[in-house]
């Protein structure tokens, strides 16, 4: 027998042993067990342990899973819920003679401590409180209230207390002192004196009485308790009152995640920092950052060298690797993770190999695949292993590595099927390599697509199950892979691509989905192999005009729905319409306004006549001058600007103003700007009114007259930007199909705008002229309404 034949035989034996160990029981055995195994269906209050009857002779029956570990743990310990609760248990029966097995799901009703729900209704927060018993009356936060940290756990909890304090300042305009010691009436007390078996790492108990008490077993649970309090306070008009009551709150699933593809679209580090805070507000614990990838070569005239690619981390080992001008320094990325730690978020960094790797092969052309395209690394080339090892090593080695968290994602998806065995070898090698640094590993499901005999490590590895044709979830479970439910057909957003979702089907997800559903496979409730779920934004179509703000417009409503589904599951009592209506009143979190929302008593949110008595913060080389029988704002120099008390307004909006430009304004003369976009009197050398953001320029094809007043109105939604002059529609810029130059290929290009409202004018290239009557509405007005202005 030669070496290759030996490998084939060993692989066959390995697969046979795995199949045998997981073989299903016969129908006769199943019928026998269903008759003989009788479970306890009701557990009365005060019972401490779920007691099973003895297993039938010749069989072993054991509890392997529970979909509510804070009521019935895997060991069978019972923790009384506040009200009656149904728990789905999962048992495994094994036949001793041949090792065949079957899973037995069973629902149990557990009697609660209280017979009713109490006086105060359960507060609406996202995700919902798992358990609540209402008290009577309200706790009121006052200027004398303190945040009190249990002295026993002060060194751990002080960071959470300080973040909470800053958030209360931002949201409630009150700054409670942080104190170590014993609480009194009016205080908020935080402790870690809870039972970890009961509440896990993320659960907490909440008591709102004369003082508020958050009690958890670990930091993250305590921090989630502060997010709940912030959300309840935000619903109160004065941001001071909490309904009295008690709660036990904990997640149904451990992994509740979101993936952002920064490889094909660069997002600034501050954007990622804001996402950490936003996700934390909704107790979404995993933020996977897809750090390397590339666009499709067909969108770049089938030329690999010009195809867009991104590698987003600074590399000292290979300085040529990071994308010039569009990467994060190691310090920035470490600081992001430190922020995430304080906010209860796990950062899951992903470097995607050996496919999706054009950014690497551009830096090292010698390891690009000659057969499958330059986005595939040549996995038969020993130098590929050396380079990829060195890339990971730089971020994993040392006492304080760049990748701080326990889990690291190594990609491993969509490699050429023809190379299944080398691909499996490569995957197994880098699983073990990353694990050698003390990390656990995540990978993309690909082992059905790359079927073969080369074994791939499953211990310490979690798989994103994204497409069942690439990785059959049931087979992956048999092979020992814990799964994160990431079904592409339900949870993939690819903005403006024309495939997958532009916006997720939130109603369907709310009513029908939770992580046990992966494609057409539905696992049993409580299956311990389902760690949780994750949705994703893939920026496949590089340079298509989608902005960071457009991404948030898609992500935010999905976070609201999916945080609910992954924390509580399908057992919600609030229908989708009611949830959606109430969710509109729940924001992004203290200090955040990524959606550019401006609110007032009605839809007219800004009304500045610009006579000199408006709420305008700062004038630089700008003044008010007489114009007829009134004053107007005048910007006389190229460095003239006015600071407004806003940054921008997001969809849906109408901005109206009157302008009288002087003669000979410069190219790119600025009318309005923010940190995200600029509206220009003259777009480049066109002389046309236009706007720019993220390196792309747009113009409306019309010149604004000089030395006369013109009324301009611009409306914007998530699909278009529309210009009106003197009440008449001039042009609507909307998504447009643009040929890419390769055969009949084309892409959709977006022309949306978050309207900038941070400054009028600019410190170096301001428009010169007069302006008056700035009005901003947080809705899109009709042409008739615009004419009425």
């Amino acid at each position: 027998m030669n070496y290759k034949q030996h490998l084939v035989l060993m692989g066959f034996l390995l697969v046979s042993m795995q199949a045998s160990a997981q073989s299903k029981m016969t129908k006769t055995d199943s019928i026998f067990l269903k008759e003989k195994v009788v479970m306890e269906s009701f557990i009365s209050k005060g019972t401490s342990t779920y007691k099973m009857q003895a297993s039938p002779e010749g069989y072993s029956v054991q509890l392997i899973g529970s979909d509510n570990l804070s009521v019935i743990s895997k060991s069978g310990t019972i923790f009384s819920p506040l009200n009656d609760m149904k728990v789905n248990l999962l048992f495994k029966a094994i036949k001793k003679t041949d090792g065949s097995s079957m899973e037995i799901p069973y629902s149990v009703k557990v009697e609660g401590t209280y017979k009713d729900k109490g006086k105060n209704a359960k507060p609406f927060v996202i995700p919902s409180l798992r358990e609540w018993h209402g008290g009577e009356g309200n706790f009121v936060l006052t200027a004398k209230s303190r945040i009190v940290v249990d002295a026993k756990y002060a060194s751990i909890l002080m960071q959470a207390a300080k973040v909470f304090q800053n958030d209360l300042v931002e949201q409630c305009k009150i700054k409670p002192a942080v104190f170590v010691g014993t609480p009194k009436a009016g205080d908020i007390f935080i402790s870690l004196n809870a039972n970890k078996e009961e509440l896990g790492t993320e659960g907490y108990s909440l008591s709102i009485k004369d003082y508020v008490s958050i009690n958890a077993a670990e930091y993250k649970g305590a921090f989630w308790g502060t997010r709940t309090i912030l959300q309840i306070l935000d619903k109160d008009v004065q941001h001071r009152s909490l309904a009295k009551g008690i709660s036990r709150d904990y997640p149904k699933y451990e992994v509740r995640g979101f993936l952002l593809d920064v490889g094909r679209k660069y997002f600034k580090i501050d954007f990622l920092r804001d996402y950490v805070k936003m996700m934390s507000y909704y107790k979404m614990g995993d933020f996977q950052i897809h750090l390397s990838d590339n666009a499709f070569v067909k969108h770049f005239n089938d030329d690999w060298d010009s195809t867009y690619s991104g590698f987003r981390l600074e590399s000292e080992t290979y300085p040529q690797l990071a994308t010039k001008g569009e990467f994060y320094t190691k310090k920035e990325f470490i600081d992001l993770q430190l922020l995430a730690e304080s906010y209860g978020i796990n950062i899951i960094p992903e470097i995607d190999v050996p496919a999706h790797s054009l950014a690497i092969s551009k830096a090292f052309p010698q390891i690009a695949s000659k057969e499958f395209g330059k986005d595939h690394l040549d996995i038969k080339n020993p130098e590929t292993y050396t380079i990829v090892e060195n890339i990971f090593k730089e971020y994993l080695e040392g006492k304080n590595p760049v990748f701080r968290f326990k889990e690291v994602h190594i990609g491993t998806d969509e490699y050429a099927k023809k190379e299944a065995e080398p691909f499996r070898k490569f995957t197994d090698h880098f699983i073990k390599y990353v694990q050698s640094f003390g990390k656990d590993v995540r990978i993309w499901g690909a082992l059905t697509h790359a079927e073969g005999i080369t074994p791939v490590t499953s211990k310490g590895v979690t798989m994103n199950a994204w497409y069942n044709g690439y990785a059959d979830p049931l087979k992956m479970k048999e092979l020992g892979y814990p799964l994160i439910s990431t079904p592409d057909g339900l949870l993939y957003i690819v903005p403006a691509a024309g495939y997958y979702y532009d916006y997720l089907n939130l109603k369907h997800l709310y009513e029908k989905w939770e992580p046990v559903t992966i494609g057409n496979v539905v696992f049993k409730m409580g299956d311990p192999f389902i760690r949780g779920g994750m949705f994703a934004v893939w920026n496949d179509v590089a340079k298509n005009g989608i902005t960071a703000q457009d991404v948030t417009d898609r992500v935010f409503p999905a976070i609201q729905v999916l945080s609910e589904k992954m924390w509580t599951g399908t057992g919600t009592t609030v229908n989708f319409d009611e949830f959606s209506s109430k969710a509109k009143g729940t924001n992004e979190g203290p200090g955040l306004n990524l959606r550019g929302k401006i609110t007032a008593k009605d839809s007219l949110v800004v009304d500045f006549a610009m006579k000199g008595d408006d709420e305008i913060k700062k004038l630089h080389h700008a003044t008010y001058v007489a114009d007829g029988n009134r004053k107007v704002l005048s910007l006389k120099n190229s460095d003239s600007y006015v600071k407004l008390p806003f940054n921008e307004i997001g969809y849906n909006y109408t901005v109206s103003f009157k302008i009288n430009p002087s003669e000979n304004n410069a190219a790119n003369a600025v009318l309005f700007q923010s940190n995200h976009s600029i509206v220009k009197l003259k777009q480049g050398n066109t002389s046309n009114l236009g706007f720019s953001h993220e390196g792309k320029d747009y113009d409306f094809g019309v010149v604004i007259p000089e030395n006369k007043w013109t009324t301009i109105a611009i409306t914007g939604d998530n699909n278009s930007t529309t210009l009106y002059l003197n009440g008449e529609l001039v042009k609507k810029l909307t998504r447009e199909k643009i040929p890419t130059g390769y055969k009949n290929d084309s892409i959709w290009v977006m022309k949306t705008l978050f309207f900038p409202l941070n400054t009028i004018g600019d410190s170096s290239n301001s428009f010169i002229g007069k302006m008056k009557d700035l009005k901003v509405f947080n809705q899109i007005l009709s042409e008739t309404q615009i004419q009425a202005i």
Side-chain angles (χ1 to χ4, degrees):
M1 178 185 296
N2 63 31
Y3 178 68
K4 187 173 181 180
Q5 290 172 323
H6 175 75
L7 279 179
V8 171
L9 178 59
M10 291 303 295
F12 175 77
L13 291 173
L14 177 67
V15 172
S16 298
M17 286 189 292
Q18 288 173 332
S20 174
Q22 298 292 334
S23 61
K24 295 181 180 179
M25 285 186 181
T26 64
K27 187 174 182 179
T28 302
D29 288 327
S30 299
I31 294 171
F32 172 78
L33 281 172
K34 287 176 182 177
E35 290 177 350
K36 294 294 183 181
V37 177
V38 180
M39 307 294 181
E40 192 174 352
S41 61
F42 179 81
I43 299 172
S44 59
K45 182 168 56 179
T47 305
S48 61
T49 305
Y50 186 82
K51 295 180 180 177
M52 289 178 52
Q53 68 173 53
S55 299
E57 186 175 351
Y59 298 86
S60 170
V61 181
Q62 58 183 338
L63 177 65
I64 62 168
S66 164
D67 77 340
N68 193 326
L69 297 169
S70 291
V71 175
I72 302 179
S73 71
K74 285 183 183 179
S75 66
T77 303
I78 297 170
F79 304 101
S80 294
L82 298 178
N83 298 106
D84 293 355
M85 184 168 286
K86 185 182 83 168
V87 179
N88 295 298
L89 301 177
L90 188 61
F91 298 86
K92 187 173 186 177
I94 300 174
K95 190 173 184 180
K96 295 180 179 179
T97 56
D98 61 9
S100 60
S101 65
M102 68 176 289
E103 291 178 349
I104 306 172
Y106 202 77
S107 294
V108 178
K109 184 177 180 180
V110 183
E111 186 179 18
T113 302
Y114 300 94
K115 291 297 183 184
D116 60 26
K117 295 182 180 179
K119 297 271 187 179
N120 286 329
K122 183 168 74 171
F124 180 83
V125 295
I126 304 174
S128 302
L129 296 173
R130 299 296 298 276
E131 301 178 24
W132 170 262
H133 183 75
E136 191 169 1
N138 293 280
F139 167 91
V140 178
L141 194 68
T142 72
K144 294 182 180 179
S145 297
R146 304 174 300 169
I147 300 168
V148 180
V149 174
D150 190 335
K152 186 176 178 181
Y153 307 103
S155 62
I156 301 171
L157 289 173
M158 192 55 68
Q159 180 65 38
K162 289 179 179 178
V163 172
F164 187 35
Q165 180 191 49
N166 291 335
D167 290 339
L168 287 170
V169 171
E170 190 71 47
Q171 180 172 288
C172 305
K173 310 307 177 190
I174 191 169
K175 188 176 183 178
V178 175
F179 182 79
V180 176
T182 304
K184 61 184 182 182
D187 290 341
I188 299 174
F189 180 61
I190 310 175
S191 181
L192 294 179
N193 201 31
N195 180 352
K196 185 172 180 180
E197 186 183 11
E198 176 182 357
L199 293 177
T201 61
E202 297 188 85
Y204 62 96
S205 63
L206 177 64
S207 171
I208 307 172
K209 296 181 179 178
D210 290 338
Y211 67 85
V212 177
S213 176
I214 301 169
N215 193 20
E218 293 198 7
Y219 179 95
K220 189 176 289 192
F223 194 82
W224 291 157
T226 68
R227 305 302 91 183
T228 294
I229 291 172
L230 287 168
Q231 282 201 27
I232 298 173
L233 287 171
D234 197 42
K235 297 293 189 299
D236 176 55
V237 174
Q238 301 298 324
H239 304 314
R240 294 288 190 276
S241 182
L242 302 168
K244 288 184 176 180
I246 57 175
S247 174
R248 291 171 77 242
D249 197 25
Y250 42 80
K252 185 170 186 178
Y253 294 95
E254 168 202 2
V255 174
R256 306 172 309 283
F258 167 63
L259 177 149
L260 182 62
D261 171 12
V262 306
R264 284 176 285 203
K265 175 175 174 55
Y266 176 67
F267 297 84
K268 294 179 180 179
I269 195 70
D270 285 344
F271 182 86
L272 303 186
R273 292 176 68 88
D274 285 345
Y275 262 49
V276 164
K277 295 176 184 178
M278 179 172 69
M279 290 176 63
S280 175
Y281 198 59
Y282 289 92
K283 304 182 181 78
M284 290 277 285
D286 277 30
F287 187 12
Q288 183 168 328
I289 303 177
H290 185 80
L291 289 163
S292 61
D293 213 319
N294 52 268
F296 298 128
V297 67
K298 67 179 182 177
H299 293 165
F300 292 83
N301 204 25
D302 208 32
D303 177 18
W304 283 114
D305 291 335
S306 63
T307 299
Y308 183 81
S309 64
F311 190 95
R312 302 303 182 199
L313 269 185
E314 171 192 14
S315 174
E316 294 175 275
T317 305
Y318 299 123
Q320 73 274 32
L321 188 58
T323 305
K324 187 176 181 180
E326 295 185 339
F327 69 90
Y328 314 120
T329 67
K330 291 185 193 178
K331 184 180 185 307
E332 285 175 331
F333 201 73
I334 289 170
D335 287 346
L336 175 69
Q337 292 167 92
L338 290 171
L339 178 76
E341 287 171 5
S342 68
Y343 275 81
I345 299 294
N346 302 318
I347 298 290
I348 311 297
E350 178 188 356
I351 296 174
D352 199 354
V353 288
H356 298 273
S357 297
L358 182 61
I360 297 175
S361 70
K362 278 184 176 179
F364 306 99
Q366 70 274 24
I367 65 170
S369 171
K370 294 178 176 59
E371 184 174 0
F372 305 114
K374 290 184 178 180
D375 62 338
H376 283 50
L377 301 181
D378 181 356
I379 54 178
K380 295 179 181 178
N381 184 344
E383 191 176 358
T384 300
Y385 278 72
T386 300
I387 290 171
V388 174
E389 281 183 2
N390 287 339
I391 291 171
F392 277 107
K393 180 182 179 182
E394 180 171 359
Y395 307 124
L396 293 170
E397 65 181 348
K399 292 182 179 180
N400 295 296
V402 176
F403 292 167
R404 294 178 57 85
F405 287 88
K406 181 63 174 175
E407 294 182 273
V408 173
H409 207 297
I410 64 170
T412 70
D413 65 324
E414 297 187 297
Y415 200 83
K417 186 179 180 71
K418 178 181 176 182
E419 298 293 334
E421 297 301 345
F423 170 79
R424 293 171 69 92
K425 175 187 173 185
F426 181 95
T427 301
D428 185 66
H429 175 87
F430 281 98
I431 287 172
K432 291 172 179 173
Y433 184 76
V434 171
Q435 287 178 338
S436 73
F437 292 90
K439 302 293 186 182
D440 289 338
V441 173
R442 293 191 188 181
I443 60 173
W444 290 106
L447 297 184
T448 298
H449 173 75
E451 195 171 15
I453 63 171
T454 304
V456 179
T457 302
S458 62
K459 185 177 181 181
V461 180
T462 296
M463 181 179 288
N464 285 90
W466 69 279
Y467 174 56
N468 295 7
Y470 263 77
D472 182 315
L474 294 172
K475 290 182 180 178
M476 296 306 106
K477 176 184 171 179
E478 288 179 7
L479 293 171
Y481 293 99
L483 302 174
I484 297 172
S485 178
T486 322
D488 61 340
L490 290 174
L491 297 179
Y492 274 19
I493 298 170
V494 187
Y499 56 89
Y500 284 126
Y501 282 100
D502 200 4
Y503 289 79
L504 295 182
N505 185 341
L506 299 181
K507 188 175 191 295
H508 175 83
L509 291 170
Y510 186 85
E511 294 176 346
K512 304 292 185 183
W513 182 83
E514 66 174 278
V516 289
T517 299
I518 305 175
N520 61 357
V521 174
V522 181
F523 287 84
K524 297 177 178 67
M525 291 291 183
D527 193 317
F529 275 87
I530 305 301
R531 288 186 65 188
M534 179 173 287
F535 78 105
V537 167
W538 296 105
N539 296 295
D540 291 10
V541 188
K543 307 295 186 182
N544 68 345
I546 285 287
T547 66
Q549 291 68 52
D550 287 318
V551 169
T552 299
D553 194 60
R554 289 152 171 78
V555 167
F556 180 72
I559 279 183
Q560 289 190 315
V561 167
L562 291 170
S563 71
E564 176 74 18
K565 299 303 297 180
M566 294 189 283
W567 185 272
T568 66
T570 53
T572 181
T573 57
V574 178
N575 66 40
F576 177 72
D577 291 338
E578 183 179 350
F579 176 87
S580 297
S581 177
K582 290 181 175 179
K584 289 177 182 177
T586 306
N587 297 313
E588 300 156 12
L592 299 178
N593 192 10
L594 284 83
R595 295 174 299 146
K597 297 302 178 184
I598 304 177
T599 58
K601 61 183 179 181
D602 55 34
S603 62
L604 178 59
V605 295
V606 178
D607 188 4
F608 290 169
M610 297 183 172
K611 296 178 181 179
D613 54 357
D614 301 309
E615 188 189 343
I616 293 178
K617 293 184 176 180
K618 181 180 179 181
L619 279 73
H620 181 83
H621 292 174
T623 187
Y624 296 95
V625 299
D627 187 87
N629 60 358
R630 60 162 288 179
K631 287 185 176 181
V632 298
L633 178 66
S634 174
L635 284 74
K636 295 185 176 182
N637 306 312
S638 61
D639 62 349
S640 298
Y641 64 86
V642 171
K643 181 76 171 63
L644 299 175
F646 313 100
N647 185 50
E648 62 193 353
I649 187 164
Y651 318 130
N652 297 303
Y653 66 80
T654 302
V655 177
S656 172
F657 56 95
K658 295 174 182 176
I659 187 172
N660 185 341
S662 300
E663 293 179 357
N664 301 320
N665 268 274
N668 295 307
V670 174
L671 289 175
F672 295 90
Q673 66 180 326
S674 70
N675 58 334
H676 296 140
S677 59
I678 304 173
V679 172
K680 301 174 183 177
L681 177 67
K682 294 184 175 182
Q683 180 61 276
N685 295 315
T686 67
S687 296
N688 295 330
L689 182 71
F691 61 91
S692 300
H693 51 53
E694 295 192 4
K696 291 186 75 71
D697 299 325
Y698 308 83
D699 78 72
F700 289 105
V702 62
V703 177
I704 304 302
E706 298 174 338
N707 293 323
K708 65 179 291 187
W709 286 102
T710 301
T711 301
I712 296 174
I714 295 175
T715 69
D717 61 20
N718 64 348
N719 200 52
S720 61
T721 310
T722 304
L723 173 68
Y724 298 83
L725 294 185
N726 299 319
E728 300 295 325
L729 173 65
V730 173
K731 190 165 188 177
K732 183 174 186 176
L733 299 176
T734 190
R735 67 173 71 191
E736 181 181 3
K737 208 167 192 178
I738 303 293
T740 65
Y742 175 68
K743 296 183 178 179
N744 294 322
D745 184 59
S746 60
I747 63 171
W748 289 101
V749 173
M750 300 294 290
K751 300 178 182 181
T752 53
L753 172 69
F754 266 40
F755 197 95
L757 290 170
N758 188 258
T759 62
I760 298 170
D762 181 62
S763 61
S764 62
N765 193 30
S766 174
F767 94 97
I768 297 173
K770 302 171 185 176
M771 185 181 290
K772 63 182 179 180
D773 297 339
L774 173 64
K775 297 179 185 294
V776 180
F777 300 82
N778 61 7
Q779 67 179 43
I780 293 179
L781 302 184
S782 67
E783 187 169 351
T784 301
Q785 290 171 314
I786 289 171
Q787 288 170 351
I789 296 174

